[in-house]
Amino acid sequence: MNRLVSVIQALKAKGVRLTSERQLILRRAVNHLHFSAEELVNDVRTIDRSVSRMTVFRTLTLLQNAGLVEKHDFHYGPPYYEVTYGKAHHDHLMCMRCGEIIEFQEPRWEPMQEEAAKRYGYKLLSHTHKLYGLCGSCQTRNNGKPVHKAPKLHVEEIVA
Amino acid sequence: MNRLVSVIQALKAKGVRLTSERQLILRRAVNHLHFSAEELVNDVRTIDRSVSRMTVFRTLTLLQNAGLVEKHDFHYGPPYYEVTYGKAHHDHLMCMRCGEIIEFQEPRWEPMQEEAAKRYGYKLLSHTHKLYGLCGSCQTRNNGKPVHKAPKLHVEEIVA
DNA sequence: GAATATTTGTTACTCAGTATCAACTAAGAA
DNA sequence: TTCTTAGTTGATACTGAGTAACAAATATTC
């Protein structure tokens, strides 16, 4: 709940009008760790059918522009969103079979990235760094069988 | 031309039937560094109108599964493809304004990624690492103005 | 309370592909 | 060579993840 409050305050501070629709969408969004747009639409509309799909998309865009939400393309399955406001920067490790997502930090990478960008005269503004593999149980459980495109992603606790 | 030959040989070695459509598609694909599926469709169909959009998509999928082509989601603009066969692994640096893409290598990262995956019991299979920023000329040329979503990507030489 | 601006829902559309399926090859067997 | 069968192709339709247009509803400012 604390988290919702702080996200709402951050939005207000940016002068964004906080309608009841937006509040509901935010409330549901902070409840998930990673979610697809369509999942959020369903979740929100389970609670209030009168909120349209469009409003959810628009709010998601609004939140992205305000820097509170990030969109991740995991290459397997649909793009996933994450409320990143107040969270430390982290990268993602995903299991290609079961879709588990682990968030982790690797502080050593940050300066190296700055350095790489600078090498080409670039000013670094953001980055994405995603690792794909097989989690422990998928390695043993399905040994030998081919790896498919991961079907769907599960919400997962922040691990590091 | 050498490159096309080696890609074709790699395909044959995998027992993939090499039709005239596939040859044309490959020939055009190795000519670009990064290209969107739709760009490749247009390029191929400029040369031979009888090749359908579908065949281009199917061939792209085939090549991905054969490990000769990689699909990159640059977060700005459409997904881009790249014939990676015979190329050393590299990461990407992209200008958020003009869409320039620079390919670069950073060998120090590879073992660190393995290590990070292992920390969580994962077997690392692949990764994507993309840096976004402003290239030298976009930094000075448009100083102060906001950065848009990059409109389209240009084909760019491998720099490192 | 009127004028103005913002937000919303509806509907239609786009982009990047997938799915289906019948017609067309291509390669091996008889 | 012709037959059989499997692989490939093109046409058409459809899907998922949004974007665009616009009028109606709501909020804000005067």
Side-chain angles (χ1 to χ4, degrees), chain A residues 24-156:
Chain A
L24 171 58
I25 293 165
L26 261 176
R27 188 152 61 77
R28 298 311 304 159
V30 297
N31 249 358
H32 300 291
L33 225 41
H34 301 97
F35 51 90
S36 71
E38 229 63 47
E39 272 169 18
L40 185 59
V41 168
N42 291 339
D43 188 18
V44 162
R45 283 174 57 85
T46 308
I47 295 171
D48 183 351
R49 176 120 310 240
S50 76
V51 176
S52 82
R53 191 170 164 272
M54 272 311 306
T55 299
V56 175
F57 276 103
R58 271 193 286 237
T59 304
L60 236 23
T61 306
L62 181 90
L63 295 171
Q64 278 184 88
N65 292 341
L68 308 184
V69 160
E70 275 175 32
K71 183 181 177 181
H72 298 292
D73 204 307
F74 279 106
H75 211 123
Y76 298 90
Y80 271 60
Y81 294 84
E82 176 185 358
V83 181
T84 46
Y85 179 77
K87 267 186 180 178
H89 173 78
H90 53 264
D91 296 318
H92 296 90
L93 172 58
M94 181 184 168
C95 177
M96 290 164 85
R97 183 182 304 283
C98 70
E100 179 188 58
I101 298 170
I102 287 178
E103 303 183 336
F104 69 96
Q105 286 173 309
E106 185 40 274
R108 286 177 294 167
W109 285 337
E110 312 295 322
M112 295 168 90
Q113 294 175 131
E114 291 286 352
E115 188 194 311
K118 201 167 290 171
R119 196 149 71 228
Y120 300 104
Y122 271 61
K123 185 179 177 198
L124 187 63
L125 295 178
S126 70
H127 75 274
T128 65
H129 196 169
K130 303 202 176 72
L131 309 185
Y132 299 94
L134 287 178
C135 70
S137 49
C138 284
Q139 278 172 64
T140 56
R141 213 187 312 124
N142 274 297
N143 238 342
K145 292 197 193 154
V147 176
H148 329 285
K149 296 209 164 190
K152 63 156 90 174
L153 306 179
H154 305 293
V155 169
E156 182 63 26

Side-chain angles (χ1 to χ4, degrees), chain B:
Chain B
M1 217 47 197
N2 226 344
R3 186 156 164 62
L4 176 59
V5 171
S6 71
V7 171
I8 284 178
Q9 278 169 352
L11 255 194
K12 273 188 185 157
K14 285 173 192 277
V16 172
R17 205 183 282 180
L18 200 72
T19 64
S20 64
E21 290 89 346
R22 287 177 182 175
Q23 278 202 48
L24 171 58
I25 292 166
L26 261 176
R27 187 152 62 77
R28 298 311 305 157
V30 298
N31 249 358
H32 300 291
L33 224 41
H34 299 97
F35 52 89
S36 71
E38 229 63 49
E39 272 169 19
L40 185 59
V41 168
N42 292 339
D43 188 17
V44 163
R45 284 173 57 85
T46 308
I47 294 171
D48 183 350
R49 176 118 313 241
S50 76
V51 176
S52 81
R53 191 171 163 270
M54 271 311 306
T55 299
V56 176
F57 276 102
R58 271 193 287 239
T59 304
L60 235 24
T61 306
L62 181 89
L63 295 171
Q64 278 183 86
N65 293 339
L68 307 183
V69 160
E70 274 175 32
K71 183 181 178 181
H72 297 291
D73 204 307
F74 279 107
H75 211 123
Y76 299 90
Y80 271 60
Y81 295 83
E82 177 184 358
V83 181
T84 47
Y85 179 79
K87 266 187 179 176
H89 173 78
H90 54 264
D91 296 317
H92 296 89
L93 171 58
M94 180 185 170
C95 178
M96 290 165 86
R97 183 181 306 282
C98 71
E100 179 189 58
I101 297 171
I102 287 178
E103 303 183 338
F104 69 96
Q105 285 172 310
E106 184 42 274
R108 286 178 295 166
W109 285 338
E110 312 295 323
M112 295 169 89
Q113 293 175 132
E114 290 286 352
E115 188 194 310
K118 202 166 290 171
R119 197 150 70 228
Y120 300 102
Y122 272 61
K123 184 177 179 202
L124 188 63
L125 296 178
S126 71
H127 76 273
T128 64
H129 196 169
K130 303 205 174 69
L131 309 184
Y132 299 95
L134 287 177
C135 71
S137 48
C138 284
Q139 278 171 66
T140 54
R141 213 186 312 121
N142 273 298
N143 239 340
K145 291 194 195 157
V147 176
H148 329 285
K149 296 210 164 190
K152 64 155 88 174
L153 307 178
H154 304 295
V155 170
E156 183 63 27
E157 278 311 308
I158 296 192
V159 176

